[in-house]
Amino acid sequence: AGSSDFSVSYTCLDEDGKVTTKTTSVKKTNFSYSFDWTTNKTLGIKAFNNSPSSKEVLVEIYVNGTLFVSASANAPGGVAIAQGIYK
C-alpha cells in the first residue's frame, strides 16, 4: 500500500479451523499474513486508508506463491476488496 496508516480485514481460519474475519490497523507500507486454508472456501481481504488520502491501497492474495486475486483503490475513502473461492 502507498499509505502507512490503513485498516485491513481478512478472512482466515481460527484455532478450531472455522472461517473467521480479523481486522487490524497497520502502521507500515507493507503488511502480509500467512495462514492455512481449505478448498471451496472464499478467501477475502479488504483495506482502506484511515486518513482521507488518494494514495493507492493494493491488496493481493497469493496461493502457494501464485497471485490468486488482487484489487486496488486510490480515491479518498476508497476500499480495495479482493476475494474469490479457492478450489
Side-chain angles (χ1 to χ4, degrees):
S3 174
S4 61
D5 182 18
F6 57 98
S7 293
V8 176
S9 295
Y10 54 93
T11 306
C12 59
L13 299 178
D14 66 13
E15 303 80 34
D16 298 323
K18 295 180 183 175
V19 177
T20 188
T21 300
K22 294 186 179 184
T23 301
T24 188
S25 291
V26 179
K27 302 288 185 190
K28 54 187 177 178
T29 57
N30 290 302
F31 169 77
S32 65
Y33 182 75
S34 297
F35 53 90
D36 293 325
W37 197 248
T38 59
T39 57
N40 297 316
K41 299 284 185 183
T42 300
L43 291 167
I45 185 169
K46 74 177 180 178
F48 59 91
N49 285 315
N50 287 327
S51 59
S53 172
S54 59
K55 292 184 178 178
E56 181 180 44
V57 175
L58 173 67
V59 293
E60 300 174 321
I61 298 174
Y62 286 83
V63 176
N64 298 324
T66 302
L67 182 63
F68 174 65
V69 65
S70 67
S72 65
N74 59 7
V79 179
I81 302 171
Q83 64 183 21
I85 297 175
Y86 175 61
K87 295 185 179 194

